[in-house]
Amino acid sequence: MKPTTLDEAIAFLARRIMPLSATATVHVAQAVGYILAEDIHAPASLPRFDNSAMDGYALKQSDIDDEGIAKLSIDHVIAAGCSSGFELRSGSAARIMTGAPVPVGADRVVMQENAVIDGSAVTLRITDNSKFHIRRVGEDVREGQQILKAGTKLHPGNLSLLVGLGFRSVRVTVRPRVAILSTGNELADSPDKLVLGQIYDTNRPMLSWMLAQAGADVTDLGIIRDDPSSILSALASAAKTHDLLITSGGASEGFADHLSDVVTRHGSLEFWKLNMRPGKPIGFGEIEHCPVLVLPGNPVAAAAGFATLGRAIIQGLVCRSCATPSYIALPLSVGYSKPAERVQLLMGKFRRRQHDNAIIVEPLTLQSSSSYRALSEAEVFILLGAGKTTVSAGDLVAVVPLWQHWEDLLGDAKLLPS
Ligand code: AMP
Ligand code: MG
C-alpha cells in the first residue's frame, strides 16, 4: 500500500532510504556537523596528569593537624605548563596554579582564599574535608573507554573531546549530494528583470539553505520550464551523480504540472498526494535509482515538505534508522479546529505563557501557503495530527523546527527561563 498520510510516508522513507556507505576522513577542526562513521575509543586518559583544580597550595595530607591547619614553608611555585619534576617534602607546600601538575607526594590542594602568607611561610586552613581540589588522571575519560558512537552528529563539544584526546582526523559519513531544481514558466532568477506574470524563484534559495543546514551538499540545477522532456533530462542526468533530487513546483494535477508523470514514466512514483495541508501534492519516487522528492511550488508548502520529509531523507542518508523528523511536544496557545482526516501544519512561533512562564507555541494569524510574510515570521511548524478535529489551548502538540536545529532554538536567549 502506498503511503497516504505523513506518518506512513515517514515510516516508508525510514525503510526505503539506505545510509550512504561512503566515508571520508576529515580534519577534526572541520568535523562539526558531520556524522561520525566509527565508534571512537579514548587513546589516552583525561586529565592526562594529576593537576590542580584551584589556584592555591599543594601539600601533604599528613601535614594537616587535628584542627585542619597546616603551617608550611613555600618551597616551590608551579605555574600551568610547568612540569613539576620534584617530590614534595613533608613540611613544605608548593604554590600551584589551576591546571598545573600536582607534585609527587602532594595529595591535596588548598585554595589560596584559605591561605595566610607570612614571608616564605604559609598557614593553610581546610574548610571542607571532602574537597581535595586535584583533578586525577582519567577521572574525566579513561583510556580505552568508548567516548563517541558511530552515527553521532558532531557538535563543538565533541570536537573539544576529540582535540583534547589528540585526534587529528576522524572518519565521517560523506555529506549527501542533493540536486535541486524549480519548475515553472513564471519563474525568474533574482535579480533579473521581471515582466508581468513572472515572479522570482524563492524556493531554490530557501531549500538550498535548509539543505545545507541539514548537512547536505547542494547542486543547484536552476529553473526548468514546465516541459516534461526538459524536466526529465535535468533529473536523469543529475541522478547519476547525486544521492537525492528535490524538485519544487509542478507537483499537482494542473495542465502545466508534469512531475508526477515524469517520475512515473521514467522511474517510479512511490507515493504522491499526502493527506496533509499545506503540502498535499508532495511526492516521492526514484529516477535512475536516485530518490526524488517532489515538493509543491507554494513557498510555505515547499518548506513544510522539506521540514517533515526532506530532512528525514537527509538524516536517513547519513545514519541508519534516523529517517524521522525531530519533533518536540509543546502546549498550544489557543484552541484549533480542523478536518479530522488530515494532518494540518500551522506556521507558529514560540511564546511564553503568562501565568507560568512555560514555553508554548502560537499559530500565526496568517496561514496562507503562499505568504512570504508568514514564512518570514514563522519559527516552527505546529503539526496537528490526523484523527482529531479539535485541539484545545494547552494541549501538547508536535512541533517541527522550520529553519534551525533544536540546539540553536533551545539556546536562543528568548527561550531561557527568565
Ligand atoms: P505549482 O506547484 O507549480 O502549481 O505552483 C504553486 C504556486 O507556487 C504558484 O503560485 C507558483 O507560481 C508558485 N511557485 C512555484 N514554484 C515557485 C518557486 N520556485 N518560487 C516561488 N514560487 C513558486
Ligand atoms: Mg507551476
Side-chain angles (χ1 to χ4, degrees):
M1 281 267 285
K2 289 195 173 188
T4 57
T5 67
L6 182 59
D7 281 350
E8 286 168 11
I10 288 164
F12 174 88
L13 292 173
R15 289 193 303 276
R16 167 72 175 69
I17 300 293
M18 289 295 131
L20 303 174
S21 52
T23 61
T25 302
V26 291
H27 191 278
V28 276
Q30 261 81 56
V32 169
Y34 279 95
I35 307 286
L36 206 53
E38 56 185 355
D39 291 339
I40 301 244
H41 293 84
S45 290
L46 290 179
R48 291 167 185 271
F49 50 89
D50 290 347
N51 69 92
S52 178
M54 288 286 174
D55 290 333
Y57 293 84
L59 72 160
K60 282 179 172 302
Q61 178 73 15
S62 54
D63 280 339
I64 303 166
D65 68 17
D66 293 345
E67 265 77 65
I69 304 288
K71 293 191 170 160
L72 304 165
S73 63
I74 307 167
D75 288 356
H76 302 276
V77 176
I78 317 165
C82 285
S83 50
S84 62
F86 63 87
E87 183 167 349
L88 195 73
R89 280 185 305 106
S90 184
S92 71
R95 186 163 183 216
I96 192 163
M97 265 136 246
T98 306
V102 172
V104 178
D107 42 20
R108 178 157 213 144
V109 169
V110 171
M111 55 195 209
Q112 64 189 18
E113 289 79 349
N114 294 334
V116 177
I117 300 158
D118 181 9
S120 64
V122 66
T123 302
L124 302 171
R125 194 164 35 87
I126 309 296
T127 50
D128 182 345
N129 214 17
S130 67
K131 294 242 163 58
F132 288 78
H133 302 307
I134 295 177
R135 303 187 285 219
R136 294 286 182 193
V137 169
E139 75 176 27
D140 184 16
V141 175
R142 250 179 317 102
E143 184 178 342
Q145 173 185 0
Q146 179 173 317
I147 46 154
L148 290 169
K149 276 198 199 143
T152 304
K153 183 166 189 181
L154 295 170
H155 57 61
N158 304 137
L159 172 65
S160 302
L161 176 62
L162 291 165
V163 172
L165 284 167
F167 282 91
R168 299 216 177 136
S169 60
V170 280
R171 283 206 81 67
V172 295
T173 309
V174 293
R175 290 162 72 92
R177 296 159 306 168
V178 182
I180 60 169
L181 61 80
S182 298
T183 68
N185 292 353
E186 75 280 31
L187 301 178
D189 260 328
S190 169
D192 291 352
K193 213 163 160 31
L194 298 179
V195 296
L196 182 67
Q198 280 192 311
I199 57 168
Y200 289 127
D201 174 0
T202 57
N203 287 344
R204 260 161 57 241
M206 175 186 72
L207 292 171
S208 294
W209 274 101
M210 292 178 92
L211 277 161
Q213 210 176 34
D217 284 339
V218 183
T219 308
D220 186 345
L221 303 178
I223 298 168
I224 311 289
R225 292 189 65 76
D226 286 318
D227 160 51
S229 63
S230 311
I231 295 170
L232 174 63
S233 78
L235 290 177
S237 77
K240 297 188 185 81
T241 48
H242 290 85
D243 305 305
L244 173 66
L245 309 171
I246 297 184
T247 66
S248 80
S252 46
E253 290 172 292
F255 63 85
D257 294 340
H258 303 296
L259 258 299
S260 66
D261 251 18
V262 167
V263 180
T264 305
R265 280 168 198 265
H266 303 281
S268 67
L269 189 64
E270 298 172 22
F271 63 78
W272 183 40
K273 293 197 197 161
L274 297 177
N275 215 338
M276 64 189 265
R277 194 160 298 171
K280 189 167 190 317
I282 291 177
F284 175 84
E286 61 162 57
I287 278 188
E288 307 273 354
H289 308 294
C290 183
V292 191
L293 178 65
V294 173
L295 296 176
N298 269 314
V300 176
F306 184 79
T308 50
L309 298 172
R311 269 192 211 132
I313 298 174
I314 302 295
Q315 287 167 21
L317 285 169
V318 291
C319 163
R320 189 170 297 281
S321 75
C322 291
T324 46
S326 33
Y327 298 132
I328 58 165
L330 284 175
L332 190 64
S333 63
V334 289
Y336 212 89
S337 301
K338 65 162 189 65
E341 69 280 4
R342 77 165 183 242
V343 169
Q344 182 83 45
L345 293 165
L346 300 175
M347 286 176 281
K349 279 174 86 75
F350 292 110
R351 193 158 73 66
R352 283 212 172 266
R353 187 158 58 190
Q354 226 157 20
H355 71 270
D356 61 358
N357 222 19
I359 296 162
I360 59 176
V361 281
E362 178 171 63
L364 305 185
T365 23
L366 192 59
Q367 291 291 341
S368 153
S369 72
S370 61
S371 170
Y372 286 117
R373 196 151 55 80
L375 197 56
S376 170
E377 205 184 316
E379 294 169 329
V380 296
F381 274 116
I382 299 163
L383 206 145
L384 305 180
K388 265 192 168 179
T389 52
T390 54
V391 189
S392 308
D395 283 358
L396 288 181
V397 288
V399 175
V400 187
L402 238 169
W403 317 121
Q404 293 160 296
H405 294 300
W406 287 121
E407 302 89 285
D408 303 334
L409 284 173
L410 297 174
D412 195 325
K414 64 182 184 287
L415 291 182
L416 294 175
S418 46

